[in-house]
Structures are given as C-alpha cells and as structure tokens.
Amino acid sequence: MAQNLKTKVRIREDVKSMKAYTPTTSLDVFAERLGLNVDTLIKLDANENPFGPSPKVQETLANLQNMNIYPDPESNRLRDLLSDYTGMPREQILCGAGADELIEIILQLFIEPNDTIVNTPPTFAMYGFDAPLYYGQVIDVYRDENFDLDVPAIEQAVIEHEAKLLFLCSPNNPSGNVIPHETMKRLLDLPTTVVIDEAYIEFAEDDSIVSWVNDYPNLIVLRTMSKWAGLAGLRVGYGIFPMDLMSHLWKIKQPYNVNLAADVAAQASLEDTSYLLGLVDQMVAQRKRMVEAFAELPFLSPYPSESNFILNKVVGMGADKLRDRLAKEGIIVRYYNKPRLHDHIRISAGTPEQVDKLLAVLKTLA
Ligand SMILES: Cc1ncc(COP(=O)(O)O)c(C=O)c1O
C-alpha cells in the first residue's frame, strides 16, 4: 500500500532538475551568518529604498482596520491613484503582488506549451526563470560588452522562433543602462508582444514610455512600488496593458492578490509622491557620488547607471573576495558569477551615512 502511494507522487520532471532562484537573504539571516548586530548592517544588495517608505505609510498601517475582510479584488482606489500618477486610464492598469506576479500573469496569458519568449541577458533573472515554469522556451539574445541590446539578433530570434513575448528591462537590472527610445520603437514593430519593465524608471533621466501603450497594441509596461516608494516588503507592482488584454487578465489573476496592507500602503505612498520623489533625488545623488568614488579605486570599474544601483567589474581581486571583505564590515552587496558577469558586483545606492561607511571601507582595501 505504502509502495503504491509512493509511486503516485509524481512531481514534474523538469522541476526535479531545475535550479532554484537565488533571492536576497533576510537581514536576520545575514546578521546571524556574519555574527553582527542586525541594526549595524548596511544592505546594498537588492536595490531597495534605504530611507524606507513614506511616514504616511507607517501611520496608515498603524491604524489599519478591517483585517478580517478580504481586500478589494479590483484594487479600485489604488488604480485611481496609479492612473493619476501614470497618466494612463485605470481601466488599463492591473495591480499585483509585486511586478514579479505580473510577469507570471503575463506568461499565463500568452504562453502555450513550447511557445517561445525572447530574453536579453544579463538582465532581471525572473523572466527567464518563470517562463519554463509555464512551459515556455527561452531564447537568450545576449547584450554586448556595454550591455546594449543586439537589435538585429533580437529581430532574427523573434521572427525565427515566432516568439510570443519579448522581455526588455529599462533601466536594465543589473547593468543600469537604458534602452534608447528609437531602439524600443524598432523592436515594437516586431510581430510579438513587448514587455518593457520600468521597475527603476523613477531613477532615470529618460522619460517613461508608458503613454506609448495608447499607440502600440503589442506593448505592456511593468512598474513597481518596491524601489522608488520603498515598499519592497509589502509587494505591490502594476502593469499598464492594451485595453484588449484587460478582460482576459481579470479572468486569470488571483482574486485577492494585493493584500490589504499592501493596498493601503501603496495608496498612502501615492498621496505622498513629492516626499518620495525627493528621496529618489537623494538616491540618484548618492549613486552619482558612488560612481565617481568607485572610478577612483584601482579594483573597481563601474558602469554608467540610470538607476539606484551600480554594476562594477572587479579587477585585480576576486569579486567574491571583495564581497566577503565588505560583508565582514556589515556591508552586503550583490555578487555575480554567471556569463557576462564573472567578477562583477552590484551595489545599491545607500543613505549618505551608509555611503560614507562603504567608501571608507573600500579605501582601506585599495
Ligand atoms: C527589473 C526588475 N523588475 C521587477 C522586479 C520585481 O519587482 P517587485 O518587487 O515589484 O516584484 C525587480 C526587483 O528587483 C527588478 O529588478
């Protein structure tokens, strides 16, 4: 009997052999691992807002009511505020538990077994990680040595594989560079749906292309409250979609995907945008300061960034060694060891005090 039951437990073969996604580690785990007090840690590994959310969020959450009632499945008030913020009609906005969830919902909507998505690594890992879980095939078209797109190769891949989706990230994580608008227009002429992830657009000089959704029936734009608004822990993202997709998206999304705390916190943030965009300016100022200081160090070669983080090639010492030496001082950065990113680290913009400490430690290593 026991034997019979055992043979009936049959999980997917591809999941058995897949590699796990490596998320950021919690501060408590880091503190324990490093033997340091959690309050002394400087977390610069996940592009979070080091200043925290708006004080209005703290106040709203302290007074949170109706936790026994399911949240609004349509996030109506939040979508109204997002409509004001983006200038796009609320009917074309769908909210999710982070932009991460919207990536999954898009794959659920488009991908049938063995359909193809085109991905442009090095980029945000979630597109390539999620697609196979929804039975999509991933075609990687690598960026060049400056992390710019290989446009002719993308065009060829989309056409040859009849790709259902092309995922683009601008500013790109982890390289920090933007895709020129002319390039986006060229790629939007392809016979595929283009998902442009603007998770970091608030930090960029370039304007958002969200209004282009009015002109291109094949454009989806993803945004998040995690970075600029400091709500990474609450999980709120949103997408702006062509109107024709909306009724289908509503059919497939989980009804209560945006929880009550996340919903009201995002609303409070959108009612305090001038405060939060002031913090964005401070993060950009710190990023500029960091790039200049990194460029002076013999072992770091920073790439220009339009975001709230800086990718660096580490020269003359292993990037893992540098990561470990910073960790010893309680400074956590993101280390990469994969194609095109061997010996690279990414460091998020911190508060002025955090950057003071980071630069002081780095100077001792020079
Ligand atoms: C480019 C990009 N898109 C999306 C996300 C996920 O955002 P969220 O926290 O809203 O799920 C991230 C998070 O790091 C990101 O870097």
Side-chain angles (χ1 to χ4, degrees):
M1 183 66 184
Q3 189 64 22
N4 265 351
L5 271 181
K6 224 177 194 176
T7 55
K8 289 227 162 82
V9 180
R10 289 175 296 176
I11 68 160
R12 283 167 50 168
E13 289 301 321
D14 58 337
V15 173
K16 273 189 202 164
S17 56
M18 79 184 257
K19 270 192 165 166
Y21 181 77
T22 322
T24 179
T25 308
S26 86
L27 274 178
D28 288 334
V29 172
F30 268 126
E32 199 177 318
R33 203 183 280 167
L34 300 169
L36 295 171
N37 181 332
V38 71
D39 297 329
T40 65
L41 294 182
I42 297 178
K43 190 170 186 298
L44 303 178
D45 67 329
N47 310 333
E48 291 137 333
N49 179 335
F51 298 100
S54 153
K56 294 206 167 137
V57 168
Q58 307 281 8
E59 200 181 300
T60 304
L61 292 182
N63 296 313
L64 190 60
Q65 302 289 321
N66 294 331
M67 281 180 270
N68 54 325
I69 309 283
Y70 284 105
D72 175 4
E74 295 174 357
S75 308
N76 280 304
R77 188 149 181 278
L78 175 56
R79 285 164 55 236
D80 279 340
L81 292 167
L82 286 170
S83 171
D84 294 344
Y85 180 63
T86 60
M88 294 299 287
R90 61 110 82 148
E91 290 76 16
Q92 286 173 251
I93 300 175
L94 189 80
C95 299
D100 280 348
E101 190 196 16
L102 291 155
I103 295 167
E104 286 196 301
I105 293 175
I106 292 166
L107 291 165
Q108 287 170 21
L109 183 62
F110 281 86
I111 299 299
E112 295 176 63
N114 299 322
D115 280 346
T116 296
I117 73 147
V118 169
N119 194 29
T120 62
T123 190
F124 184 47
M126 206 49 84
Y127 323 126
F129 177 80
D130 279 341
L133 284 173
Y134 293 96
Y135 300 103
Q137 309 263 14
V138 182
I139 304 294
D140 284 330
V141 179
Y142 273 82
R143 288 165 179 255
D144 68 15
E145 62 284 1
N146 296 319
F147 300 105
D148 288 324
L149 297 178
D150 183 345
V151 176
I154 293 171
E155 289 172 333
Q156 197 192 334
V158 166
I159 288 163
E160 190 182 320
H161 299 280
E162 297 179 26
K164 282 267 187 83
L165 293 166
L166 164 61
F167 279 92
L168 300 174
C169 188
S170 183
N172 186 45
N173 177 10
S175 51
N177 58 329
V178 293
I179 301 170
H181 285 186
E182 284 316 303
T183 303
M184 290 186 189
K185 284 186 182 155
R186 183 168 156 184
L187 294 173
L188 278 161
D189 283 339
L190 283 166
T192 190
T193 295
V194 182
V195 180
I196 299 190
D197 184 342
E198 289 193 335
Y200 300 97
I201 195 66
E202 279 82 3
F203 303 99
E205 292 278 324
D206 278 15
D207 290 334
S208 164
I209 50 93
V210 71
S211 65
W212 297 10
V213 178
N214 291 325
D215 307 320
Y216 289 95
N218 62 331
L219 170 62
I220 296 171
V221 177
L222 293 183
R223 308 278 285 271
T224 179
M225 301 296 286
S226 291
K227 312 294 177 176
W228 72 282
L231 296 185
L234 287 174
R235 318 299 302 122
V236 196
Y238 57 101
I240 295 97
F241 296 86
M243 198 56 215
D244 286 353
L245 297 184
M246 292 306 295
S247 63
H248 306 294
L249 290 161
W250 284 114
K251 280 185 272 186
I252 62 176
K253 96 163 178 70
Q254 290 284 329
Y256 308 115
N257 57 337
V258 181
N259 73 66
L260 181 65
D263 190 349
V264 296
Q267 290 177 36
S269 305
L270 291 163
E271 281 165 349
D272 203 13
T273 50
S274 54
Y275 170 82
L276 288 169
L277 293 172
L279 296 185
V280 167
D281 288 344
Q282 291 194 51
M283 283 184 261
V284 169
Q286 292 309 310
R287 178 199 79 209
K288 289 182 178 166
R289 179 182 164 212
M290 288 161 71
V291 173
E292 277 178 25
F294 292 172
E296 300 284 309
L297 294 166
F299 53 89
L300 283 186
S301 180
Y303 293 89
S305 170
E306 290 277 317
S307 195
N308 67 334
F309 53 82
I310 301 155
L311 182 71
N312 300 270
K313 182 157 178 49
V314 182
V315 277
M317 79 164 93
D320 52 345
K321 218 173 192 178
L322 179 57
R323 171 203 58 190
D324 293 345
R325 291 179 79 169
L326 289 171
K328 258 194 194 146
E329 303 294 331
I331 301 170
I332 300 151
V333 300
R334 176 69 193 257
Y335 160 72
Y336 293 98
N337 188 19
K338 57 181 176 182
R340 298 287 160 90
L341 292 175
H342 294 296
D343 274 326
H344 282 69
I345 58 168
R346 190 194 64 199
I347 308 182
S348 312
T351 63
E353 298 73 27
Q354 290 176 333
V355 175
D356 287 347
K357 165 106 194 256
L358 168 73
L359 297 181
V361 171
L362 286 171
K363 275 181 196 147
T364 66
L365 306 177

